[in-house]
């Protein structure tokens, strides 16, 4: 019997609670069928927290998040909160969680399910079977570096400044995440920077190479310039397994890879922090999409990104890669059987609601289990 793990669910606003409800069905399925329990707690975040507590996240919720084995986060924000002060805005809750959990590694997989290969803007044979993981540095680099700002010049014109800074520790801890993930994937890491024109990029390349030489020679390491990587992602994305890169380049490259897969409603993500003494990393799992106020409350939201975020939690925080595969297989089967929410609807397929999509995924989990998976 595996010890119960603590999972904190924060559904949030808009479609957040709708897609989280379907994820709960999947969690319940594992709880019942496999006799492996989760200690699930649920709490308020974002606008939902502001409505009750006048803050986007309470200290009590922060404490629960810090003490959990993983946080499952829905989405926050919406028009009701647009006019709040910046410090009260729902999105501040996510920033605070990222900061206080020390989540420095953002994992964005780009997986193309065979049944949706047509939905990509690239040719089907270029994206079929695609499975890439982009690891973006999340707490440093040019978005945080000093000096920054806009200053007035003596000639009456102005100057805008941002600074790209990375130190050894920031590079090494991200590199370790990349090599560790590659070791349970296809054992290939592309480290991406611009060492041809940026000193911070040169340091990045040298530190990643040194880390590799010292600890990870069982993995294959390639270095690539960021501009070439952008081009290679749309030319031949299958050459990649894990891409590890800076905050700025990761921001751009993960959006390119997202487009390879088709819809926002299909994209999960994870953010990881430092390893504890017991070897666990702080973690937060969330769909890439926001609270989608335009479709909230209408049963139109695609819950797959949220459900796949849970499957990432199983794989990367709860050491249950087999169960993660089971969920991914169930999703693949539902898509193969032609079920589609509106965002991924295609001619000749069956349009289903958020709830029906959750039920179909659970039905296919039953089927996989009866077939001995
Ligand atoms: P969004 O991701 O919420 O929506 C963009 C478009 O994609 C919309 O047309 C929406 O209907 C569609 N969409 C998104 N998720 C979908 C799903 N699961 N199924 C089907 N269609 C889906 O982005 P936005 O409209 O720019 O932002 C809306 C609100 O969400 C804003 O308040 C924004 O600040 C917030 N937001 C929150 C997060 C987060 O919580 N992590 C991320 C992005 C945006």
């Amino acid at each position: 019997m595996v010890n119960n793990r603590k999972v904190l669910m924060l559904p949030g606003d808009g479609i957040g609670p709708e897609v989280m409800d379907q994820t709960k069905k999947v969690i319940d399925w594992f709880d019942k069928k496999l006799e492996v329990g989760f200690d699930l707690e649920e709490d308020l975040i974002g606008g939902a927290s502001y409505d009750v507590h006048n803050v986007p996240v309470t200290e009590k919720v922060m404490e629960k998040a810090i003490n959990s084995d993983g946080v499952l986060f829905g989405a926050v924000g919406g028009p009701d909160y647009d006019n709040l002060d910046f410090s009260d805005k729902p999105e501040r809750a996510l920033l605070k969680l990222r900061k206080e959990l020390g989540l420095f590694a953002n994992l964005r997989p780009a997986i193309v399910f065979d049944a949706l290969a047509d939905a990509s803007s690239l040719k089907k044979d270029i994206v079929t079977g695609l499975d890439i993981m982009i690891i973006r540095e999340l707490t440093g680099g040019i978005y945080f570096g000093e000096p920054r700002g806009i200053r007035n010049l003596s000639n009456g014109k102005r100057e805008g400044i941002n600074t790209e800074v990375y130190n050894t520790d920031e590079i090494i801890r991200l590199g370790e995440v990349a090599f560790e993930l590659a070791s349970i994937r296809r054992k290939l890491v592309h480290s991406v920077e611009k060492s041809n024109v940026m000193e911070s990029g040169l340091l990045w390349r040298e530190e990643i190479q040194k880390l590799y030489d010292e600890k990870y020679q069982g993995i294959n390491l390639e270095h690539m310039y960021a501009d070439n990587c952008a081009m290679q992602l749309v030319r031949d994305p299958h050459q990649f397994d894990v891409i590890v890169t800076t905050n700025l380049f990761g921001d751009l490259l993960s959006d390119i890879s997202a487009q390879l897969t088709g819809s926002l409603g299909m994209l999960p993500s994870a953010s990881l922090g430092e390893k504890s003494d017991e070897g666990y990393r702080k973690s937060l799992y969330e769909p890439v999409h926001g609270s989608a106020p335009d479709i909230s409350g209408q049963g139109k939201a695609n819950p797959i990104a949220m459900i796949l975020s849970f499957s990432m939690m199983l794989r990367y925080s709860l050491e249950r890669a087999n169960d993660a595969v089971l969920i991914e297989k169930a999703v693949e089967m539902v898509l193969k059987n032609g079920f589609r929410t509106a965002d991924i609807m295609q001619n000749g397929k069956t349009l289903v609601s958020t709830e029906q999509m959750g039920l179909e995924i659970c039905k296919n989990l039953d089927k996989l289990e009866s077939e001995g998976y």
Side-chain angles (χ1 to χ4, degrees), residues 333-353:
M333 284 162 73
V334 168
L335 297 172
K336 212 166 153 195
N337 292 339
F339 294 103
R340 301 280 190 277
T341 42
D343 57 313
I344 50 172
M345 187 57 189
Q346 293 162 306
N347 270 344
K349 306 296 180 194
T350 310
L351 182 65
V352 293
S353 67

Side-chain angles (χ1 to χ4, degrees), residues 107-112 126 129-135 185-186 190 229 232-234 236-244 253 256-258 260-261 312 316:
L107 278 51
R108 291 261 300 257
I111 298 170
V112 174
I126 291 184
L130 193 67
D131 180 3
I132 302 176
M133 176 70 78
I134 299 204
I135 303 178
R185 292 172 52 93
R186 298 193 304 282
H190 279 79
C229 184
Q232 295 298 336
L233 269 173
V234 289
D236 175 20
H238 281 284
Q239 67 186 285
F240 298 107
D241 175 19
V242 171
I243 293 174
V244 61
L253 295 173
I256 295 177
S257 69
L260 302 176
T261 69
M312 286 186 83
Y316 299 120

Side-chain angles (χ1 to χ4, degrees), residues 43-111:
D43 221 312
L44 301 173
I45 197 85
S49 170
Y50 185 83
D51 289 343
V52 177
H53 302 295
N54 268 333
V55 284
V57 55
T58 61
E59 286 313 311
K60 202 167 143 211
V61 168
M62 287 306 306
E63 203 182 308
K64 283 186 193 174
I66 287 167
N67 292 321
S68 70
D69 290 305
V71 176
L72 260 187
F73 186 98
V76 291
D80 291 352
Y81 310 103
D82 280 351
N83 296 325
L84 291 178
D85 281 352
F86 190 62
S87 60
D88 289 333
K89 279 196 187 286
E91 291 79 358
R92 295 300 297 173
L94 186 55
L95 298 180
K96 188 165 176 179
L97 277 165
R98 282 183 183 155
K99 185 159 181 256
E100 293 198 15
L101 296 177
L103 305 175
F104 63 84
N106 185 229
L107 278 51
R108 291 261 300 257
I111 298 170

Side-chain angles (χ1 to χ4, degrees), residues 11-13 15 19 73-82 89-91 94 98 263-267 269 284 286-296 300-306 341-344 354:
D13 309 318
I15 64 168
V19 294
F73 186 98
V76 291
D80 291 352
Y81 310 103
D82 280 351
K89 279 196 187 286
E91 291 79 358
L94 186 55
R98 282 183 183 155
S263 165
L264 209 49
M266 296 293 299
L267 291 170
S269 79
L284 182 144
E286 58 175 329
V288 169
H289 63 73
S291 58
D294 54 332
I295 56 166
S296 111
K300 287 184 182 167
N302 184 348
I304 293 179
M306 184 79 245
T341 42
D343 57 313
I344 50 172
T354 310

